[in-house]
Amino acid sequence: MRKQIAAANWKMNLTYQQGEKLLDDILKAKHQLKDHQQVIFAVPFPYLIMANSVVANEKNFSVAAQNCYHKKSGAYTGEVAAEMLHSIGIRYCVIGHSERREYFSESNQDLADKLNLLLENGITPIFCCGEPLAIREAGTQNSYVEVQLKESLFHLGAEQVKGIIIAYEPIWAIGTGKTASSAQAQEMHAHLRKVLADQYGDAVANEVSILYGGSVKAANAAEIFGQPDVDGGLVGGASLLAEEFSTIIASLK
Ligand code: PEP
C-alpha cells in the first residue's frame, strides 16, 4: 500500500514552549501507526531540532521544514539551505506552499531548483500545488495544476519522482473552512496520478503519495482520506489542536 500520511503544517504559529506541549499532547495519545502510515510535523525552523528529538523514538513520526532556499549556499541572508536541514537530521521539507508562492513570489522554476537540492541532500520534498478560486470557477484547474507539476517536477527521473510526496491544496480551501468535497479531491488526485503516469508510467504514479490539503479537520478527514487516490492530508489550522490532529491521524487508511 502507498504511504498514508498526516502532515501538520504549523505555519508561523506557536511559541517554542507551546510547540513542545502540542507535540507532547499528541504523542500522549499513543498512536500505533501501521508500517504504511506516517505522521510528519512541519514546524518553524527554530523548533526543528527540538521536534526531531521529541519524535526520535516514535515509530513513523518525523519532522519537516516548511521551506528551504533554492540556492545551495552563499550570501543569502536569512535563508536556510537544504544542506543545513540535512546536517541537523531533517528528512522532509514542504516546498511550494501557496502562501510561499503568493507572498514570496516563488516560481515553478525556483521549486524545480529546490527539489533538486532537497533530493541531493536525501530529503523528501512535500511538493504543494493547487489552483486559486478564479481558476476553479473557470473550470481550468486540471491544466493549471498540471503545469505546476510539469514545470517543477518533470526534469526529474522516475526514481527521483518516486521519492516525492505531492500535496494538492486548492487555494480557495486553505484556511477558509471551505473544504473541497471528497469527490472534488478524488477527481483532482486521480488527474494528478494520470499526469504522473503519462510521464513516468503507472508503476511510478502508483507509488507517489498524494495528500489533500485545505480545511481538513477531525470531522471530515475520514471521508476525504477514504478516497482511493487520497493518501492522507497536509493540515494547517486543525494541526494546532492536539485532539483534532489525533483524530486526523486516526483517520488515515
Ligand atoms: C495548509 O496550510 O497547508 C492548510 C491546508 O491549511 P488549513 O488546513 O488551515 O486549510
Side-chain angles (χ1 to χ4, degrees), residues 203-221:
V204 172
N206 284 330
E207 267 196 48
V208 176
S209 295
I210 307 180
L211 316 185
Y212 168 79
S215 299
V216 171
K217 48 185 190 261
N220 59 24

Side-chain angles (χ1 to χ4, degrees), residues 100-191:
R100 302 243 21 124
R101 291 176 187 262
E102 183 180 349
Y103 306 140
F104 302 93
S105 307
E106 291 189 355
S107 68
N108 291 339
Q109 182 56 51
D110 292 338
L111 298 173
D113 294 340
K114 290 184 191 207
L115 278 168
N116 293 342
L117 288 164
L118 288 170
L119 292 170
E120 274 169 30
N121 282 283
I123 298 172
T124 301
I126 302 174
F127 174 82
C128 303
C129 57
E131 79 286 356
L133 184 60
I135 295 289
R136 172 63 63 164
E137 284 176 347
T140 53
Q141 65 274 8
N142 283 5
S143 55
Y144 184 92
V145 178
E146 196 171 327
V147 169
Q148 290 180 319
L149 247 60
K150 284 188 171 156
E151 293 189 357
S152 296
L153 255 70
F154 276 16
H155 64 287
L156 298 173
E159 281 308 309
Q160 291 174 305
V161 167
K162 273 197 221 164
I164 288 175
I165 297 166
I166 293 176
Y168 167 61
E169 301 204 302
I171 299 172
W172 45 272
I174 297 179
T176 57
K178 198 174 164 193
T179 323
S181 67
S182 50
Q184 283 173 320
Q186 168 55 26
E187 191 188 2
M188 178 58 89
H189 284 225
H191 174 64

Side-chain angles (χ1 to χ4, degrees), residues 38-67:
Q38 185 85 33
V39 174
I40 303 174
F41 297 101
V43 307
F45 289 129
Y47 310 167
L48 284 170
I49 292 177
M50 173 275 288
N52 226 11
S53 80
V54 169
V55 304
N57 296 320
E58 303 288 336
K59 182 187 167 190
N60 292 355
F61 278 77
S62 304
V63 170
Q66 295 178 11
N67 182 37

